[in-house]
Amino acid sequence: MSKDLSDVIGRVIPAPENFLSPEKLEDARKARRSFMGKALAMGAGVAASAGVATRAMAAEGEEAILKMPEHTTGLGQAVAIEDGYGKPSKWETNLRRRQSPGLTRVDQASVSFTPLQGLFGIITPSGLHFERHHQGWWDIDPSKHRLMVNGLVKRQRVFTMDDLMRLPSVSRIHFIECGANSATEWGNVAVPTVQYTHGMVSCSEFTGVLLSTLLEMCGYDKKAAKYVLAEGADGSSMTRTIDIERAMDDCIVAWAMNGEMLRPENGYPLRLVVPGIQGVSWVKYLRRIEVGDQKYATKDEAVHYIDHMPDGTHRQYTGIQETKSVITTPSGSQTLLDKGYYNVTGLAWSGRGSIKRVDVSVDGGRNWRTARIEGPVLPKAMTRFNIDWVWDGKPAILQSRAIDSTGYVQPKINQLRAVRGTKSVYHQNAIQSWLVSENGEVSNVQVY
Amino acid sequence: MKSIFKLSTKAVVLSAALSALSIGSALAQTAPWHNMGRDATSAEVKAWDIDVRPDFKGLPAGAGSVSQGEAVWEVKCASCHGSFGESNEVFTPIIGGTTKDDIKNGRVKGLEEGKSISPQKTTIMKVATVSTIWDYINRAMPWNAPKTLTTNEVYGVTAYLLSLAEIVPSDFTLSDKNIAEVQKRMPNRNGMVFYEPLWKVNGKGDVKNVACMKNCEIDPTVHSSLPAFARDAHGNIAEQNRVIGPVRGADTTKPAPTAPVGTGPAPKAVVVAAAPSGDAAVKGMLAANACTACHGVKSKIVGPGFNEIAAKYKGKADAESYLTGKIKAGGSGVWGAVPMPAQDQLKDADAKAIAKWIVDGAK
């Protein structure tokens, strides 16, 4: 097999033996009299000088240690209260939410993707939480925000934020994934990095009152109630149908995310949390819950977020985000610094329960090893996995495959296509492949 | 405190007496937070309970003709959706791709593999329920002024769209009385399937993989990879990764290196500077005043992109004052026939700030 694979993937032209780039030759000439220059001239230091070329080192040691920098010898800055809210280091500005060029025409009905390639653990920093707006976002005065519960209830009620925040609350960690996450991968590879292939997923701790608490308080009709409709207060007044079992199970009417109030672009001051279900159901700026006995066929469950099947039908109300995983480092359009050891790391999640196991392959799915799961392992939450890998510098194809607590195994893209065709946009949870080329660059490929 | 206690005791007795309803509800009624919130008034419920279900529960009485709808459409909808709902400029097209046979059969043939008669899927090809169209126009349209249409205007605009799709004749008047008849002509009314396993959390799913561990069967072909021309389509990836750690972002402004890893120059680490905050203020104004509904920062939408305006007036001495005036007054003819409405709500200082931002390059 490895012969077949390398035939196909060994497309990178290897450099001739003893090759040095013109820049490298110039470096070597300049440094001839130095310690490293001597090593280079002898041909022994090529590899050492490349991936880590910035670590120029004199014979007696490294400047970073031997010469004391300003931050060690000077006075530091005053408490960081310029605007009273801390920000990431200026060295971290590359990790940002970004749009995918050409994906949407209007910024108010658009997406910004979470930079999964640079995140750690399972919690998404609130400022990097992905965004999806249908009609722009608002920063609503919380003292004027109201939640109404109406329909098949004994008491149609109105709650202020004061009322809601006095109720018994829960804090739970859950992932939220847009139903269209990884949509581009239904067809051919179109986007370079994990930010754009998988960045419409985030994971946070949400705090709020259980929806079941509110429905009990309002005396919902246990015999007749089959569904609830959740509705937003913004211009789009997003509406989604949720079945009553789900509503009474683990849905949260949430005001907080990661220890502070929700960010405005994520629904401040109130949003619905529907664990395991696609993000469109997590209605932002939540203003109304209606208890009913029929599905509502709202725009986003009758025109969008429906699965186009090969026979021309559409599956409606397919909201579960099934088991999925992706390697975040190394991932698309990253470049490895050198051969040798890597801690391959990634994320796994399931809308049906918790992650039981993640396997990783470095040979395009021929052989698999089980990864280490880093705690915590929580239901309907991101789970971090790691696995050791020593790269020999030859082309390799990295994949991860998650298995959840129901025993469901994350499928390959051809298995998904065999059932659902290629016209679908939503609910693409296939195994992702990253090709590591001999030049160290990683690229998005489809291998199954 | 005493009275609350009395009330909840009474509620328990009442609910126990009425029926053997679940214990949960009795518990909730005794819960100390039971009376948090207040009853909604009927006017409040009426104001917010606007949803219309497929069985037309919630649909207010009213009527609107195709021609009344067309008049509204030309003023409030056509700039985004095209005069005939066909436009792909801003949103995906609404109308197109359905036939008389589809209306007869209730299934859109063009949704079958290889049978499409339109360049892309339109709304009318997919939507099975006419209630969806009515409800969505009523709650969310027009795009930059949702919920401003009257009930009769919503009927009219819905009728106009239905006539474009030849579901109703051009002299039709749609009303709460005849909408159920129209439902029977929706081209894709039989095209939806409810697939419960992907609706229920405890469902089983429809695609099966097995967790093979050794010598698994694979097709050792790279079936798809990022085309070389798309290497830089998402910007320089070196600027989208951390500058420390086991990896860097590839410098996608250059072709991929040809040398094996460790033999070429080390990947350059670049830190992108944060955007100046002055621009953020202007961009906030552009969004708040719905300017960006029609003008992209880097692209034409309905009107010209801000970058295009910046390029046109670059170096012109009076550009700032000229543009300040144009922003306030609107007009048509400079960039095409679609008129830009006057922006009376915009403060002069804000109009000036936007004009200055454009003259400075609109970045």
Side-chain angles (χ1 to χ4, degrees), chain A residues 13 50 93-94 105 288 315 335, chain B residues 51 89 206 258 262 270 272:
Chain A
I13 304 155
T93 50
N94 290 359
R105 310 278 176 87
R288 194 167 69 94
R315 282 181 180 166
T335 184
Chain B
D51 62 271
E89 284 278 312
D206 58 340
T258 50
V270 197
V272 191

Side-chain angles (χ1 to χ4, degrees), chain A residues 204-242:
Chain A
S204 296
E205 184 192 61
F206 294 95
T207 299
V209 57
L210 284 171
L211 178 55
S212 61
T213 303
L214 295 174
L215 292 175
E216 291 281 13
M217 285 168 72
C218 298
Y220 80 103
D221 184 335
K222 288 181 185 173
K223 281 213 177 106
K226 298 274 186 296
Y227 307 97
V228 303
L229 180 77
E231 180 179 80
D234 59 325
S236 75
S237 289
M238 169 69 69
T239 35
R240 287 285 302 182
T241 305
I242 294 151

Side-chain angles (χ1 to χ4, degrees), chain B:
Chain B
M1 194 61 213
K2 211 172 190 177
S3 68
I4 289 173
F5 180 74
K6 248 188 213 159
L7 186 72
S8 25
T9 313
K10 216 156 87 186
V12 172
V13 175
L14 189 69
S15 89
L18 275 177
S19 70
L21 270 175
S22 93
I23 295 165
S25 111
L27 277 179
Q29 292 191 6
T30 56
W33 58 82
H34 166 61
N35 273 328
M36 208 68 82
R38 63 165 175 84
D39 286 340
T41 70
S42 57
E44 287 172 338
V45 173
K46 190 168 175 252
W48 274 11
D49 186 0
I50 58 169
D51 62 271
V52 179
R53 293 198 314 201
D55 64 351
F56 305 112
K57 183 171 178 289
L59 183 70
S65 69
V66 169
S67 58
Q68 284 166 336
E70 185 176 9
V72 176
W73 184 270
E74 274 307 320
V75 178
K76 299 188 172 174
C77 318
S79 61
C80 282
H81 296 291
S83 284
F84 306 102
E86 81 297 346
S87 175
N88 189 31
E89 284 278 312
V90 186
F91 300 105
T92 46
I94 301 171
I95 301 299
T98 57
T99 66
K100 284 204 164 67
D101 272 353
D102 296 343
I103 292 173
K104 204 170 81 190
N105 301 328
R107 280 287 300 275
V108 171
K109 193 83 182 160
L111 290 170
E112 290 171 29
E113 205 85 53
K115 299 275 169 59
S116 181
I117 55 166
S118 67
Q120 68 185 103
K121 280 184 271 184
T122 65
T123 300
I124 202 68
M125 286 169 72
K126 293 186 281 183
V127 66
T129 35
V130 69
S131 62
T132 306
I133 301 176
W134 201 101
D135 175 89
Y136 183 64
I137 293 171
N138 183 52
R139 76 172 51 246
M141 288 294 119
W143 160 252
N144 55 357
K147 301 179 193 67
T148 57
L149 298 180
T150 66
T151 296
N152 288 346
E153 282 176 333
V154 176
Y155 275 106
V157 169
T158 307
Y160 177 63
L161 286 174
L162 293 168
S163 79
L164 291 174
E166 296 176 5
I167 296 166
V168 301
S170 57
D171 59 356
F172 192 74
T173 297
L174 181 70
S175 74
D176 54 307
K177 304 287 185 302
N178 62 18
I179 197 167
E181 289 305 307
V182 172
Q183 173 59 38
K184 293 177 189 161
R185 288 177 53 79
M186 289 295 282
N188 202 37
R189 62 188 176 278
N190 301 322
M192 292 291 170
V193 175
F194 175 56
Y195 186 73
E196 195 172 51
L198 291 169
W199 157 261
K200 293 277 186 194
V201 164
N202 58 2
K204 276 289 174 213
D206 58 340
V207 180
K208 302 269 177 293
N209 189 9
V210 285
C212 164
M213 296 301 282
K214 293 271 167 243
N215 288 317
C216 310
E217 200 181 319
I218 58 166
D219 173 0
T221 312
V222 172
H223 293 271
S224 177
S225 55
L226 193 72
F229 68 80
R231 179 172 169 82
D232 200 20
H234 283 71
N236 185 2
I237 306 299
E239 298 174 359
Q240 302 179 23
N241 277 270
R242 190 165 281 117
V243 297
I244 49 165
V247 296
R248 299 287 182 272
D251 180 355
T252 52
T253 63
K254 300 194 182 84
T258 50
V261 72
T263 58
K268 241 202 311 200
V270 197
V271 183
V272 191
S277 56
D279 290 358
V282 170
K283 283 180 182 167
M285 280 180 226
L286 298 177
N289 291 285
C291 312
T292 44
C294 292
H295 304 276
V297 172
K298 288 178 193 151
S299 63
K300 174 185 183 295
I301 300 176
V302 175
F306 289 115
N307 60 330
E308 296 173 274
I309 307 172
K312 188 180 179 111
Y313 296 102
K314 194 177 172 188
K316 298 212 169 106
D318 62 340
E320 194 175 317
S321 62
Y322 170 77
L323 287 172
T324 305
K326 287 300 277 185
I327 290 166
K328 289 284 289 182
S332 71
V334 183
W335 295 91
V338 179
M340 171 175 144
Q343 304 293 321
D344 299 326
Q345 82 292 352
L346 198 65
K347 288 185 208 130
D348 289 348
D350 289 353
K352 199 160 179 290
I354 293 170
K356 183 175 185 314
W357 170 78
I358 295 171
V359 171
D360 288 347
K363 287 197 178 111

Side-chain angles (χ1 to χ4, degrees), chain A residues 409-420 431 448, chain B residues 206-210:
Chain A
V409 182
Q410 183 184 5
K412 303 199 266 188
I413 184 72
N414 57 322
Q415 293 170 326
L416 265 181
R417 286 180 186 146
V419 176
R420 301 196 202 152
I431 291 169
Y448 40 84
Chain B
D206 58 340
V207 180
K208 302 269 177 293
N209 189 9
V210 285

